[in-house]
Amino acid sequence: MFGIVLISISTLMHLYVFWRAWSVPLVAGRVPGKVIITVALILWLLLYLGRTIGHDAAGTPARVLELLGMCWLGVLLLTFVPMFAVDLVTGFGWFLPRLAPSLRGWALVAAGVLSAMALFQGLRPPVIQSYEVVLPGLPQERDGTVIVGLSDTHIGSLIGKRWLSARVVQVRAQQPDMVVLLGDIFEGHGPPHADLLPTLRGLAPPLGVWAVPGNHEHHRDDTGLKAMEEAGFHLLRNRWAEVQPGLVLAGVDDLTFRRRRGLGGDPVGQALAGRPQGAVVLLSHTPWEADRAARSGVGLMLSGHTHGGQIWPMGYLVRLRYPLLAGHYEVEGMPVIVCRGTGTWGPRMRLWRPGEILRVTLKAGKGP
């Protein structure tokens, strides 16, 4: 269903963009109509085949097909936005009829600049985003514990072993006490990821790697979850674990997936039930139910899923469903940190912010 909606919306954008580009004086005066129609058809087929065949198949041809198709999707969005803005301002040509076609030409120029910037940001390495959090109940001997968090790496056909190896080096350079994976580690389609397991095992922090599933870990089968277990990661599925005396990690299955499947229950309450005394850090792929966590005594919540919108202006739409979009928030006195994603989904593009890796230093509060 998601694929059908995506192709349908992108097809409408596709028709609109080429229709309005045809009215730009430089294009209309120099490019024959048959050429424009042919280019439009080729690019639409590239998008369609990249989403269908490229998204599901394995091998270099499929990878290239998906990469080109998804990048064209990003370019299409960044062309649609300025073009539609010009049409809104000019009343689709009713106002400023002589100037409107030239403004559409400048919209095409803006689209090219924005697309180049987004591609650069999407392909550059993620940055390290550092936070210090005073964690209630953390023993003084745990003061300074460093957690490094990754979310939404979407390892699969477009993001592979070479990229992952560089991220392992980047994480190890932060000298973390533990690493947390906040879901959507695997893209969730294509062949199994057994060839990536040796690379993932290279993380090897002293207190282990802890993970919660994202919605992509539930795509089609549980291959991603099995790969995590085979890599030696500790999966927190609606349960808690005492990492060290006085420091508890709890994790929940993805709340988005649960809602789509109509699963009831109280995963946050289940994950925290019967926990020992001490500081509690909750891992949840989707940044929902933060107020529930705060009222249950959680001292810090770490999430991902939103990608920070990934490509402007999608963040405005994403925020309607996920008010905690990216960065640091306070919910009923509890810090919530939402990672904007370490990798990318779909287009290897980002606008305006690059991907990130979280580095969270836990601080003990003052004694009595």
Side-chain angles (χ1 to χ4, degrees):
M1 180 59 68
F2 176 78
I4 293 173
V5 172
L6 179 65
I7 292 296
S8 300
I9 293 176
S10 59
T11 299
L12 293 175
M13 290 197 302
H14 206 274
L15 293 171
Y16 170 81
V17 163
F18 276 91
W19 169 54
R20 302 316 274 163
W22 205 334
S23 69
V24 173
L26 188 62
V27 176
R30 298 188 180 185
V31 183
K34 292 182 179 179
V35 173
I36 294 177
I37 293 174
T38 301
V39 171
L41 181 59
I42 291 173
L43 289 175
W44 183 86
L45 284 173
L46 187 65
L47 175 62
Y48 177 78
L49 295 176
R51 173 62 195 178
T52 54
I53 297 177
H55 191 68
D56 293 327
T60 300
R63 186 179 301 112
V64 171
L65 189 62
E66 184 179 10
L67 176 63
L68 294 177
M70 290 298 97
C71 284
W72 168 241
L73 176 63
V75 173
L76 183 63
L77 172 64
L78 292 173
T79 306
F80 172 83
V81 171
M83 191 74 77
F84 190 66
V86 167
D87 272 343
L88 287 180
V89 171
T90 63
F92 286 81
W94 285 97
F95 312 122
L96 307 172
R98 295 183 179 180
L99 184 60
S102 297
L103 291 177
R104 295 188 197 110
W106 284 109
L108 289 178
V109 173
V113 173
L114 291 174
S115 297
M117 294 173 60
L119 189 60
F120 170 77
Q121 289 282 47
L123 293 177
R124 66 179 288 197
V127 299
I128 303 297
Q129 190 68 46
S130 298
Y131 297 91
E132 277 195 4
V133 174
V134 176
L135 196 58
L138 185 69
Q140 288 293 329
E141 57 270 25
R142 311 292 174 226
D143 183 81
T145 298
V146 174
I147 300 176
V148 168
L150 297 85
S151 81
D152 302 280
T153 53
H154 290 277
I155 302 167
S157 58
L158 296 185
I159 298 179
K161 186 174 182 178
R162 182 177 178 181
W163 183 92
L164 180 60
S165 297
R167 302 293 74 77
V168 170
V169 172
Q170 199 173 5
V171 168
R172 289 176 65 92
Q174 301 305 309
Q175 299 182 328
D177 295 294
M178 72 180 82
V179 172
V180 297
L181 306 179
L182 301 169
D184 283 5
I185 301 306
F186 297 100
E187 174 59 19
H189 67 86
H193 307 283
D195 59 325
L196 300 176
L197 297 185
T199 305
L200 285 170
R201 293 190 186 102
L203 291 169
L207 299 181
V209 179
W210 302 81
V212 290
N215 52 298
H216 278 252
E217 267 75 50
H218 294 287
H219 280 190
R220 303 189 184 183
D221 54 37
D222 290 333
T223 300
L225 296 176
K226 294 176 182 177
M228 287 183 180
E229 292 175 334
E230 291 174 13
F233 299 164
H234 307 286
L235 272 176
L236 296 173
R237 305 192 63 182
N238 302 329
R239 70 180 184 91
W240 59 264
E242 191 173 35
V243 180
Q244 286 186 314
L247 178 57
V248 175
L249 280 185
V252 295
D253 276 0
D254 179 51
L255 302 177
T256 304
F257 172 79
R258 293 181 63 89
R259 182 171 296 187
R260 288 173 182 170
R261 292 298 178 91
L263 302 177
D266 178 16
V268 173
Q270 181 181 343
L272 299 173
R275 69 185 187 275
Q277 293 292 320
V280 181
V281 178
L282 176 66
L283 312 180
S284 173
H285 177 64
T286 299
W288 283 341
E289 300 194 23
D291 52 348
R292 171 78 171 88
R295 290 193 295 269
S296 299
V298 173
L300 169 65
M301 179 172 165
L302 301 177
S303 294
H305 184 59
T306 67
H307 290 237
Q310 189 165 316
I311 300 178
W312 175 88
M314 291 301 297
Y316 298 112
L317 295 177
V318 176
R319 194 185 292 274
L320 296 177
R321 187 167 176 81
Y322 306 100
L324 306 182
L325 182 67
H328 179 274
Y329 301 89
E330 292 281 337
V331 176
E332 298 189 17
M334 178 191 70
V336 181
I337 300 175
V338 182
C339 179
R340 62 176 177 264
T342 306
T344 53
W345 176 87
R348 292 300 312 276
M349 304 169 76
R350 280 185 172 272
L351 193 70
W352 300 96
R353 306 290 298 279
E356 69 178 1
I357 295 172
L358 302 180
R359 188 182 194 276
V360 183
T361 303
L362 304 180
K363 306 296 291 184
K366 295 182 179 179

